[in-house]
Amino acid sequence: MANRVRNQILSPVGVCVLPRPGANASRTATYPDYIYEIMDASGVFYTQEEFEGLAGRLPSLGVLVTIGEVALPDELSQALTDWVEAGGAWISVAGVCGLHGLFGVEAAPAGFSMFGGGVANLGEGYLKPDQPGHPALSHLEIPLHYYNGTPLLKTDASVLAHGLDAHGRETERVVLTEKAAGAGLAICIAVDITGSVVIIQQGRGAVTRDGIPAPDSTGPICDEVLKSGDGGALDWLFDREPVPGVPGSAAFLQPIADQWRELLLRTIFYAANRQGVEVPVLWLYPRNQPAIAHISLDTDGNEPAHADILFNTLEEQGVKATWCTIMPGLPQPFMLKIQEHGHELAMHYDSMTDGLNWGRDQFSLQWRGLVDLFNGHQPVTNKNHYLRWEGDTELWEWCVAHQIQLDQTKGASKTGEAGFNFGTCRPYFPVDFRGNYFDVLELPTYTQDMEIFAPTALFYALLKPVVKHHGVLHLLFHPAHTHKPATNKALREVTDKGREAGLEWWTAEQINNWERARRMVKWEGYSADDAGTRVKLQSASPLPEATILWMGAPAAAGDTGARWGFESRVETVNVGSEAWETSSAEVAKA
């Protein structure tokens, strides 16, 4: 990119949610504002760009990301075309805004059209790479499940990925394309990324009846007990994989929602790199850690002797855990002792035991009992007993009302559901049907006691993708099982192997506090010239040993030091309330 253009850039990435269609009108992008949650969670320096006046701000942007499909005013269409041809990079998600020629695609025709039909939409399907080595796609190992988007066919674009239908059959539809236009780049991600992420993370809808069990008998979720897994959106056949070394066992080994997030980020970094735009990132964890590990403990049965064995094992291993306590709880002196040793006291809401119903009143009653047991300490974390779940978002409403800041109830209650059955290994903020956020982080539960719920081999099958996709390795154990030799041995093995993989063991409260503090950091003051790129950042909450990444060239295959597939220059800083300035040139010299 010419110096003249680079010097004009005030934001490396601008993100614009396009105007929505009116009521009762089909749309190619659902939950479009959720793109801001994806970007906020990533730590990327970006700015929210309003649709009004966008044409005038284009020269100040390095990369533009839009989401949705809308007929643009002629003036804006021309401004976007001119900006791309002059060296801009436009990534359009779930639409091309009528500029099919710029993107090198055409609309796929509807199969049939009458009243209420014929509105273009991808529906459900799978992204299959045509160029699997492309930087935007090299993290994928299986076709990537999606919901909704805009159906397109190729004209003169380079096709990076095409679509399979919901049954895995080939189609002619293209779902990821790129096309050089003048000095710039036009990329189309036809899939509704935000809607796909929300549906996979939160489920297809409200849990009002049993889900459909796995056809191989490993996930018998039709048990007349409503659970979070009953609402799962992923497919037993296409989204699970064999567990290595365990014949007949399958698990959800790909965090599919995270992979959609990553596909967007990789596309941004790819486009920025192509156009010579440096993108700073506030990395997910301190000290440039690749991922984090976490153990939660459900005190079902509340047996003091078993809890004491587990506590001693964790102390020997140097691991602090989150004790999700079911009423009436363990003896108060024990609870306060483990808290003094750095463990977290948390809630384990019970609507499974006979006589305990699902409802806010019961949630409140148990919460008050635990606050008394914890000597006035209010729990930060909750996980429902048996991962019970009814309705849609009511549980998150109860959590917010009781100052619960992190929940762990989305997850696997049956062995065949193990893994990322909600598609993510990262904490996220959920939304309701209208797109309103709940101020509670959800961190799913992937598996339970090793050698009881699943073989220890599953741990290794989960460790690899968690590190690869920079997530949180969440393992659940019960005192009722960890006194048993096989499970106790497995607990020691996984904590040792997690450390060997470079992971620190954190409590859920630590994860919550770090994630919230990191999201309070604000980027500002982006400027670029021949000497490099400068930025400022500050936070209302201190963030010690934070990691700044300056994203650069695509990483070599197997490069474990890369982040999201790209090399970066790395800087460790203590972010505070006063504005702090850094530059890519200074990091390069260091």
Side-chain angles (χ1 to χ4, degrees), residues 99-279:
L99 296 176
H100 295 82
L102 182 64
F103 289 92
V105 297
E106 64 181 6
F112 182 76
S113 179
M114 288 184 69
F115 176 78
V119 178
N121 199 296
L122 269 176
E124 182 181 1
Y126 295 82
L127 175 150
K128 183 178 180 180
D130 289 74
Q131 300 184 33
H134 191 280
L137 298 168
S138 59
H139 62 304
L140 302 181
E141 298 180 24
I142 63 174
L144 198 55
H145 204 154
Y146 63 70
Y147 293 88
N148 307 323
T150 185
L152 299 171
L153 302 176
K154 172 189 174 180
T155 55
D156 60 348
S158 174
V159 178
L160 306 182
H162 69 280
L164 308 178
D165 71 12
H167 300 281
R169 298 173 298 195
E170 292 285 341
T171 77
E172 295 182 352
R173 293 178 172 183
V174 296
V175 294
L176 179 58
T177 64
E178 68 172 319
K179 180 184 175 183
L185 189 65
I187 297 177
C188 176
I189 305 173
V191 171
D192 174 10
I193 290 182
T194 54
S196 296
V197 167
V198 170
I199 289 170
I200 293 169
Q201 286 181 168
Q202 298 185 201
R204 284 181 184 257
V207 176
T208 59
R209 62 192 69 202
D210 274 336
I212 305 300
D216 61 359
S217 303
T218 62
I221 58 177
C222 52
D223 56 4
E224 294 191 6
V225 177
L226 296 182
K227 314 160 294 300
S228 62
D230 289 319
L234 295 179
D235 190 271
W236 292 113
L237 299 179
F238 294 125
D239 296 320
R240 288 196 305 172
E241 297 173 280
V243 177
V246 187
S249 175
F252 294 96
L253 301 182
Q254 303 293 333
I256 291 170
D258 294 340
Q259 290 174 340
W260 275 116
R261 295 170 180 260
E262 187 170 335
L263 186 148
L264 175 63
L265 295 175
R266 283 169 169 258
T267 304
I268 290 171
F269 299 143
Y270 167 73
N273 184 58
R274 277 275 304 263
Q275 301 310 109
V277 177
E278 292 188 291
V279 182

Side-chain angles (χ1 to χ4, degrees), residues 433-451:
F433 177 66
R434 301 298 177 189
N436 300 307
Y437 288 87
F438 294 96
D439 187 18
V440 56
L441 288 165
E442 182 66 32
L443 177 65
T445 297
Y446 321 134
T447 185
Q448 303 182 29
D449 311 80
M450 297 289 109
E451 301 304 324

Side-chain angles (χ1 to χ4, degrees), residues 377-409:
H377 172 76
Q378 295 187 8
V380 171
T381 303
N382 172 68
K383 181 193 310 106
N384 289 356
H385 183 38
Y386 202 63
L387 304 183
R388 283 273 288 112
W389 194 285
E390 294 188 27
D392 188 7
T393 60
E394 292 86 340
L395 175 69
W396 290 319
E397 295 174 6
W398 307 342
C399 287
V400 172
H402 293 82
Q403 295 83 51
I404 297 289
Q405 296 186 26
L406 186 146
D407 180 72
Q408 303 180 336
T409 306

